[in-house]
């Protein structure tokens, strides 16, 4: 790989871009990232460079949001969507954590108050912007709520939801990345804003499965991505726990479907072992061996592998009928399988 010119967003272009700038075709970064799997951070950055009109944003608003402006001509819809992305950029940047030294008196006294104040200010600012463009009715508002999240490349997580009468906008999970995904950094081909935004868009286009969450858009400059927020159906536990034994395999499959929306024939199709018959009845495999393996098999069918798939990024959400369904919600760690060696590509 040739060295990058400059650092960060001031000049993140590889040298060869300047050597071949006349050959660049502006086909749109969203389209390009959606139709092919980008293996490296450099490839993702190249696609943004080829599309300066993107302003370092790729993806689209959720359909329920776009429906609010579908009466406009196509070009005008694009303009409005871009304006909304810029409003989001300003709002997300305003949510920057309070950065006084952790052990200082100032930090302990003011951190919570300041961050709550910023949440309210960002919510108010975004509400005004969405009302201006007709996404949000005058009587309604949108509000940020900070969530508990973890991850080596994750700084903050937020729920954004509409409040008021006749709520119609899909809820969003806003994932704010930290600055560990610096150019050429360790694991940045699989994790961080560049790779995760690109791989989320590719997954949306490539795999049509009810087990895949929706990844809407991401902003490289603001360092966040907006995803489908998974709402748990009422009365359903977010944690799937198998009993040690079931009366028979049918009883197990019924419970599995009721709690995850996974059908028995889907497991059989992928050759996934579900358990064994014992004198006490049917003893299932662990949920990791069943649920996680199914998601990996679906990815594998499309030439992909998830290097960090576990219970925290495969959670229970709900489908259109408000029934529980397991969802893959995190693409950090997604890579392409080398078909010749059946190993993941690391370069």
């Amino acid at each position: 790989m040739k060295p990058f010119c400059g650092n960060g967003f001031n000049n993140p272009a590889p040298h060869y871009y300047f050597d071949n700038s006349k050959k660049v075709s502006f086909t749109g970064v969203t389209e390009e990232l959606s139709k092919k799997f980008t293996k490296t951070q450099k490839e993702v950055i190249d696609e943004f460079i080829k599309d300066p009109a993107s302003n370092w944003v790729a993806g689209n608003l959720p359909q329920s949001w776009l429906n609010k402006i579908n009466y406009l001509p196509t070009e005008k819809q694009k303009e409005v969507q871009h304006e909304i992305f810029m409003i989001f950029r300003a709002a997300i940047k305003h949510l920057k954590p309070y950065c006084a030294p952790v052990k200082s008196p100032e930090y302990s006294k003011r951190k919570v108050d300041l961050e709550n104040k910023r949440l309210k200010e960002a919510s108010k600012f975004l509400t005004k912007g969405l009302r201006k463009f007709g996404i949000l009715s005058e009587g309604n508002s949108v509000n940020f709520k900070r969530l508990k999240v973890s991850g080596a490349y994750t700084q903050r997580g937020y729920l954004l939801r509409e409040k008021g009468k006749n709520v119609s906008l899909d809820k969003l999970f806003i994932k704010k990345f930290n600055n560990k995904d610096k150019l050429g950094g360790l694991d940045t081909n699989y994790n961080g804003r560049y790779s995760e935004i690109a791989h989320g868009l590719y997954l949306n286009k490539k795999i049509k499965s009810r087990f895949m969450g929706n990844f809407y858009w991401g902003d490289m400059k603001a360092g966040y991505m907006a995803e489908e927020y998974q709402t748990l159906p009422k009365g359903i536990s977010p944690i799937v726990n198998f009993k040690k034994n079931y009366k028979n395999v049918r009883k197990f499959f019924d419970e599995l479907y009721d709690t995850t929306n996974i059908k028995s024939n889907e497991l059989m199709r992928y050759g996934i072992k579900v358990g064994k018959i014992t004198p006490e009845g049917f003893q299932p495999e662990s949920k990791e061996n069943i649920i996680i393996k199914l998601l990996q098999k679906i990815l594998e069918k499309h030439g992909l592998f998830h290097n960090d798939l576990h219970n925290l990024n495969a959670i229970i959400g709900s489908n259109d009928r408000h029934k529980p369904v397991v969802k893959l919600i995190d693409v950090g760690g997604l890579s392409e399988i080398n078909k010749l060696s059946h190993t993941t590509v690391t370069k």
Side-chain angles (χ1 to χ4, degrees):
M1 181 191 302
K2 293 186 178 181
F4 285 87
C5 298
N7 295 311
F9 293 107
N10 294 327
N11 196 358
H15 279 292
Y16 78 82
Y17 171 71
F18 297 101
D19 299 334
N20 300 282
S21 57
K22 293 181 181 179
K23 299 179 182 179
V24 174
S25 61
F26 299 92
T27 56
V29 65
T30 297
E31 179 184 353
E32 291 301 313
L33 295 179
S34 298
K35 72 181 184 182
K36 68 177 181 180
F37 187 86
T38 46
K39 300 182 181 68
T40 66
Q41 182 192 58
K42 180 179 75 68
E43 288 181 49
V44 180
I45 293 173
D46 282 348
E47 294 301 338
F48 278 98
I49 291 170
K50 295 174 186 177
D51 185 11
S54 70
N55 203 353
W56 295 90
V57 179
N60 292 291
L61 294 169
Q63 192 58 51
S64 64
W65 294 50
L66 291 174
N67 288 342
K68 304 290 185 177
I69 56 173
N70 61 9
Y71 65 92
L72 297 172
T74 302
E75 287 304 313
K76 186 63 177 177
Q77 289 183 43
K78 292 180 181 178
E79 291 177 17
V80 169
Q81 178 170 249
H82 183 74
E83 291 292 336
I84 291 171
F85 287 154
M86 294 304 101
I87 293 171
F88 262 96
R89 176 177 290 177
I92 298 299
K93 285 185 174 181
H94 190 71
L95 294 173
K96 183 179 180 180
Y98 185 52
C99 294
V102 174
K103 294 183 179 180
S104 68
E106 183 185 14
Y107 182 92
S108 59
K109 290 179 180 178
R110 302 193 63 196
K111 176 179 181 292
V112 174
D113 289 342
L114 284 174
E115 292 200 3
N116 286 339
K117 181 173 180 285
R118 285 173 177 160
L119 282 171
K120 292 178 182 178
E121 290 170 346
S123 298
K124 186 176 181 180
F125 174 78
L126 188 57
T127 293
K128 287 183 177 180
L130 295 179
R131 285 175 179 171
K132 175 184 176 181
F133 291 105
I135 301 293
L136 194 63
S137 63
E138 283 298 320
N140 288 11
S141 63
V142 289
N143 298 85
F144 286 103
K145 178 184 178 182
R146 186 178 166 187
L147 304 173
K148 289 184 178 181
V149 294
S150 61
Y153 289 82
T154 305
Q155 183 182 52
R156 289 283 191 273
Y158 302 95
L159 162 64
L160 181 73
R161 59 182 172 182
E162 179 185 5
K163 289 188 175 182
K165 296 181 179 179
N166 301 317
V167 171
S168 60
L169 298 181
D170 288 340
K171 298 175 184 176
L172 299 178
F173 171 64
I174 305 294
K175 181 177 182 178
K176 180 70 174 70
F177 296 98
N178 55 33
N179 294 319
K180 291 184 179 180
D181 57 351
K182 295 180 180 179
L183 298 178
L186 184 66
D187 293 333
T188 53
N189 290 340
Y190 317 108
N191 295 284
R193 74 191 77 182
Y194 303 100
S195 299
E196 292 188 40
I197 290 170
H199 295 165
L201 295 179
Y202 178 77
L203 212 63
N204 284 351
K205 184 79 172 182
K206 183 73 172 179
I207 303 180
K208 303 301 181 184
S209 170
R210 67 187 184 282
F211 301 125
M212 300 292 145
N214 289 314
F215 303 91
Y216 297 122
W217 83 89
D219 186 330
M220 301 293 177
K221 281 192 174 181
Y224 78 91
M225 67 186 297
E227 310 171 19
E228 173 188 14
Y229 179 79
Q230 300 301 328
T231 302
L232 195 68
K234 291 183 179 180
I236 298 296
S237 171
I239 301 173
V240 177
N241 286 315
F242 296 159
K243 298 174 185 175
K244 187 175 181 180
N245 289 287
Y246 291 80
K247 185 177 180 180
N248 52 53
V249 67
R250 185 73 264 165
K251 291 289 186 182
F252 169 71
F253 280 139
D254 288 344
E255 182 178 299
L256 181 67
Y257 180 74
D258 289 341
T259 55
T260 66
N261 208 244
I262 295 174
K263 300 176 182 178
S264 59
N265 62 342
E266 291 172 314
L267 298 173
M268 295 175 183
R269 184 190 314 151
Y270 287 108
I272 297 173
K273 182 181 177 182
V274 295
K276 60 184 178 181
I277 304 296
T278 69
E280 291 77 25
F282 177 75
Q283 181 180 326
E285 291 282 327
S286 69
K287 58 184 178 182
E288 289 79 13
N289 282 350
I290 295 176
I291 298 174
I292 301 301
K293 188 172 288 185
L294 173 63
L295 295 175
Q296 289 284 26
K297 288 288 187 180
I298 294 172
L299 293 172
E300 184 180 317
K301 181 180 177 181
H302 297 276
L304 302 172
F305 181 80
H306 202 305
N307 294 296
D308 190 31
L309 190 54
H310 51 73
N311 289 343
L312 294 180
N313 52 31
I315 66 172
I316 300 299
S318 61
N319 59 20
D320 294 338
R321 295 180 290 112
H322 305 292
K323 299 294 184 181
V325 57
V326 67
K327 291 273 191 176
L328 174 63
I329 61 165
D330 195 324
V331 291
L334 198 65
S335 60
E336 193 172 40
I337 296 173
N338 185 323
K339 295 180 180 179
L340 295 178
S341 63
H342 297 285
T343 59
T344 55
V345 176
T346 57
K347 293 184 179 180

